[in-house]
Amino acid sequence: MVSHPNPALWLIPALPLATAAINLLWGRRLGRWAGWLASASVIVSFAVSLAVVSQLVAKPADDRLFLQHLVDWISVGRFVVGVDLRVDGVSATMILVITGIGALIHVYAIGYMAGDPRYGRFFSYMNLFVFFMLMLVLGANYLVLYLGWEGVGLCSYLLIGFWSEVPANAEAAKKAFITTRIGDTLMLIGLALIVFRFGTLDFEVVFGTAGTVLTKDAATAIALLLFAGAVGKSAQVPLHVWLPDAMAGPTPVSALIHAATMVTAGVYLVVRSHVLFELSGVALTVVLVVGVVTAVFAATCAVAQQDIKRVLAYSTISQLGFMFMAAGMRAYGVAMFFLVAHAFYKALLFLGAGSVIHGMHDEQDLRRMGGLRRLMPITFATFLVGALAQAGIPPLAGSFAKDAVLEVAQHSGRETVYVLGSVAAFLSAFYLGRMLFLTFFGDARSDRARAARESPPLLWVPLVLLAVGAATAGWLNVTPEGRLTGFLEHVTGFTPAGQGVAVAALAAVATVISLLALALTWWIYGSGRVDWIGFRERLEPLPRAALNGWYVDRAYDTAVIQPAKAGAWVTAYVVDARIIDGAVNAIGGGVKALADGGRQLQTGFVRSYALAVFLGAVAILVYVGVRS
Amino acid sequence: MLSGILFMLGTVGVLTRKNALLIFMSVELQLNAVNLALVAFSRLHDDLTGQVLAFFSMVVAAAEVVVGLAIIVAIYRRRRSVDVDDVRELRW
Amino acid sequence: MRQHLLTFTILFPLVGATLIALVGRRIDDRDTRILALLTTLATFGVSLLVLRDFQTGATGYQMVDRASWVRSLGLQYLVGVDGISLWLVLLTTFLFPISVLASWKIGTNVARYMVAILVLESAVLGSFVALDLLLFFLFFEAILVPMYLIIGGWGSGNRVYAAIKFFLFTMAGSAFLLVGILFLYSRSGQLGPPSFELGRLTQVAGGLPVPTARWLFLAFFVAFAVKVPLFPLHTWLPDAHTEAPTAGSVLLAGVLLKVGTYGLLRFNLSMFPQASIHFATFVSVLAVIGIIYGAVCALIQTDVKRLVAYSSVSHLGFVVLGIFAFTQQAVTGGVLQMVNHGLATGALFLLVGMVYERTHTREFAEMGGLAGVMPWLLGAFLFVVFASAGLPGLSSFVGEFLVIVGTFAVSHLFGALSAVAVVLGAIYLLWSYQRVAYGPLREEHRYLPDLSGREVAVLAPVLALLLVFGVYPSLLTRSIDPATCVTIEQVRSSQTCADVGGPVVPAAAEGRQP
């Protein structure tokens, strides 16, 4: 591909960075304006992104690459890494999603966070996040990507723990950061391996020469290490445990970071590095397996959650699993398409949930909701769109995406994946329906539910916009070759098409499955005919286990955290304090003992001294006598 | 040979006596014994070095006696004793 | 004039110290402090001149100043600076005014305290620029006494034990160094008039039989290893750091420890290249153990200062690992980390000191919820926590990354193990921040003041540099690089500066691949 320099690329991340700094330093003085400033900068960033992308699209298909070199970051010996930005099909998609949906979420947050004492700081962190996320996807080499990668982790930490007065929030933030850091460190080792093999981290060089430079094993190692980072960041099994707890953060945070963008970074990474993954068949299989397992596992957990946001959290984990499934089957374009669609409807669902929580005066428990569709009609309508979209009801976006994934599975002969994927899809529709009906249908089950009122426009306007997006995004990929996948093709490589059951038939089957699940949930939760509380109690202990994520957290605690703490205690207090330091003090003690013994010689008696002199003289004489 | 006997006598005196003055006298005995030996050998080998050395030794002995006796007198004034065993301040 | 800049840098603090010693009793405490501050700032100013006149890209020593002392014995005063020592000198002159400013609240025996600090500054600066081994030893030992006094005289609870332990431990190590230096000196006569000059003694060392060179390497190594501190000779550090007054800890961590790593790089590597290669695996193992062990011990500490002390053990393990990997990236990364660690850990100690001044405790159990009370202080704390944890964009990341990458090139295993420290670092650092900043607030802490103007003046420059060096490390690397290249070439005499990766796998040092 020929690349073109584009001097405007730096503006895209620079704007949010600038406003982040402004808000951090003068946020208190700006008051309400802080939120508008922050949103404005993301909107402008979106505009610039649109401009750049349209320039990109205007170019012929195999010519779509913009590069911008900013400055040399590290330069030691022959190892040089620059701050380089790159816009191609994949990153173009990402920046539009990040800035576009990001802008809507910022506007929503203006209303949602109004009155918070640290309003300015919140928007500063949000902007900072957008900056880092943009750097992540705009990076032309792995180091800039890693900068963004860690940076979004930082912002995630800051934002999850934003309401720091509540200890649980800080705990959740720390858990998020550390869990992802485990993945990040493995990724770092992967980067070191790349440097070792290629001498550089630049994408063009690495992907261009990978075929000749890497052995299959080396490629597998690198790919798996990079994927480990993705597993952490995108909350896949087994590093998924931080995401449900991360719901402690304000809802806009959950929407932006934990639905639309940061968690998708892992998918982006895999898609971006697909050359490396393809050189190693094993890595792709691992990705696929992890994706499938996560998709099903998380879906089962989502079904049992009582907190509206936790349902969505597990749902996100599950949906990300779908994306990795697609990637693992080399359908990178499909994975990206799913990412875009998911960004729309997940953000929508989260913001909708936020609206519900807001309207219910900070109530998040599903059991205490009910009947809100009459009291919060706009929220209900948009939420419905989002739920149907994810559930996969055509012609909404989610259906095309989900169907595409299942279709690839079926066509490539992976029947197990197809079946399991369909199971996950069924569960997905199920928990969505459950959430929908418990929240909006039936009778209000608490005082707050009865007193609920629709949210202000600042909240529902973004909802509506997102709903439109969720509904229409599917058209992005609707032509037989898939417009979006085609657009991405030059970066992602051609997806092998398989043979199998006709596409339309598969789509029909998938839709039926979803409708079935929805109907089932309507009957259980929405119609009022089933005592779903009793029904759940009779299934115990399964629901409780699912609620607790099948006790993975507890397993980690027992198997890893407690032994680690004990080990650390032993190291510090036994090995260091007693053994090593003991040795040091023993030496000191030994010297003192010697000295104590030595000073016994100082008797003070003159005659003993005289005797000593005499004996010494004799000894010398003897010695001299013997020597000669 | 005579000097050897004298020297041994002096050494025994130094080691066994308690009275500071007596110890001193024994030291003098040792020194003189040594002088004797030096002069004798000098005579024997026709070398003046031994006699010169004997001179040195006598001078040093004189100085040493002065200082030593002064110290003993000072100690006596303090403690009314010339018993060596009584003076053991300089111990651990 | 230009030639004597380094000498001025060393002398200024001494002049200040003498002044204070003379008039200290007659003038007010406040004036004493101001005098000390001015002295350190003046020294910093002179060092900036050194920086300005330094020619980046040139190898070899610059601004060499020489004066003969006892010609017949070859005793002389010889100083010079190169890419490696340049930034260490600057780090030193930068941290000292900050430490003086941080010591403003010291109330007892201010004059003596300031004298000790200033003498310490001269000693440290001398160590970094001495090119004559006896002169180096002189300065090296001279560091011990003022530091001992500072810890013992103005520290906390267990200070006397800590100070004595520090002093004796370090001195024991340097006894070996002295033996080594004297041995080399005794042989120096074969190549001309006897001398302690670094260049000459390197030649002497080059001509020694292999076993002798190895023993000498070890002799030098022990002294520096204690100072770094390298596992298992590190146990003096936690006590010394914890009991020292704030400025003492800052200087100890920020500057003193670097003399150890500097010594390893400057002397062990260039004087005993074959021995360095021979012992590289052994040293690297100790370094890696130190990295992980330090981090693990830090995890479980209940005293925040002790935690930071153990984190120093961990971070400096990185530096040593980098130095003994003998690749351009690793060694430069190591030197970079020396500077970074000085800034980051120095800042941590400053902040911990500020918290201590307010809460009068170092135990986590007695803190909590302070973020709401002192947002700027804890904000700075958070910034430094992330800097120390190696967040990209802040300085420590570049150094860490270079060391990991550089070490990886010669040993996958060590590179991977050192990366583990990254996770552990995040854990103990974030956890400590959490215990201080979040959670329930004690009533008596409710009205604690946030940062004062003086404290902002103390912290702001350090934090600024952490950001600047993180974003633009070339400022440092372009002068460090040529110098480390020279050292590496001395070690790996068979090839020019080893670089990382590329289709041609670089030759590994003997027996290094695990």
Side-chain angles (χ1 to χ4, degrees), chain A residues 108 112 251 307-309 350-365 369 372 376 379 448 455:
Chain A
Y108 176 95
Y112 193 84
T251 309
D307 179 319
I308 193 173
K309 284 178 72 176
F350 263 111
L351 293 186
S355 177
V356 168
I357 296 172
H358 184 94
M360 297 249 313
H361 292 290
D362 295 328
E363 177 60 73
Q364 292 180 211
D365 195 318
M369 299 185 187
L372 291 179
M376 304 178 73
T379 306
R448 285 198 203 170
S455 302

Side-chain angles (χ1 to χ4, degrees), chain A residues 20 23 46 88 124 128 134 207 236 240 244 251 323 402 409 412 414 422 432 468 509 552 557 609:
Chain A
N23 270 333
F46 176 67
D88 56 21
S124 170
L128 194 63
L134 286 170
F207 300 143
Q236 298 295 290
H240 65 284
T251 309
M323 292 181 223
K402 183 169 56 73
S412 61
R414 298 181 170 94
S422 302
L432 284 169
V468 169
V509 170
V552 172
D557 194 59
Y609 294 155

Side-chain angles (χ1 to χ4, degrees), chain C residues 309-326:
Chain C
Y310 275 110
S311 84
S312 283
V313 176
S314 186
H315 281 126
L316 285 165
F318 251 98
V319 175
V320 175
L321 185 65
I323 292 178
F324 277 85
F326 309 135

Side-chain angles (χ1 to χ4, degrees), chain C residues 393-439:
Chain C
L394 297 175
S395 62
S396 293
F397 168 68
V398 180
E400 263 178 17
F401 182 71
L402 284 171
V403 169
I404 293 178
V405 165
T407 310
F408 210 81
V410 292
S411 164
H412 287 357
L413 178 65
F414 288 152
L417 284 176
S418 61
V420 171
V422 171
V423 179
L424 293 174
I427 297 179
Y428 66 73
L429 281 168
L430 277 186
W431 193 28
S432 50
Y433 179 76
Q434 192 180 332
R435 285 180 285 180
V436 174
Y438 300 139

Side-chain angles (χ1 to χ4, degrees), chain C residues 335-501:
Chain C
V335 177
L336 204 56
Q337 275 304 81
M338 285 192 222
V339 177
N340 292 336
H341 173 264
L343 291 172
T345 310
L348 272 177
F349 276 118
L350 284 171
L351 287 162
V352 166
M354 289 176 194
V355 171
Y356 179 76
E357 266 169 33
R358 291 162 168 76
T359 59
H360 297 293
T361 175
R362 295 189 313 251
E363 293 289 322
F364 284 122
E366 294 168 24
M367 299 190 215
L370 295 176
V373 177
M374 302 182 281
W376 284 98
L377 180 63
L378 274 301
F381 202 115
L382 189 62
F383 184 88
V384 178
V385 158
F386 277 109
S388 200
L391 188 76
L394 297 175
S395 62
S396 293
F397 168 68
V398 180
E400 263 178 17
F401 182 71
L402 284 171
V403 169
I404 293 178
V405 165
T407 310
F408 210 81
V410 292
S411 164
H412 287 357
L413 178 65
F414 288 152
L417 284 176
S418 61
V420 171
V422 171
V423 179
L424 293 174
I427 297 179
Y428 66 73
L429 281 168
L430 277 186
W431 193 28
S432 50
Y433 179 76
Q434 192 180 332
R435 285 180 285 180
V436 174
Y438 300 139
L441 176 66
R442 292 183 158 221
E443 259 322 295
E444 61 262 27
H445 294 159
R446 190 170 288 276
Y447 298 108
L448 291 175
D450 207 344
L451 292 177
S452 67
R454 172 185 68 90
E455 288 173 329
V456 172
V458 166
L459 286 175
V462 183
L463 298 193
L465 280 185
L466 281 173
L467 184 60
V468 168
F469 287 157
V471 171
Y472 197 44
S474 303
L475 274 176
L476 300 173
T477 54
R478 62 180 181 208
S479 16
I480 299 178
D481 244 2
T484 52
C485 188
V486 169
T487 312
I488 294 175
E489 278 176 8
Q490 278 176 309
V491 176
R492 301 183 143 203
S493 49
S494 53
Q495 54 195 117
T496 50
C497 293
D499 64 340
V500 181

Side-chain angles (χ1 to χ4, degrees), chain C residues 67-76 185 194:
Chain C
S68 195
W69 185 18
V70 179
R71 193 177 295 268
S72 55
L73 290 175
L75 306 181
Q76 64 179 322
Y185 173 71

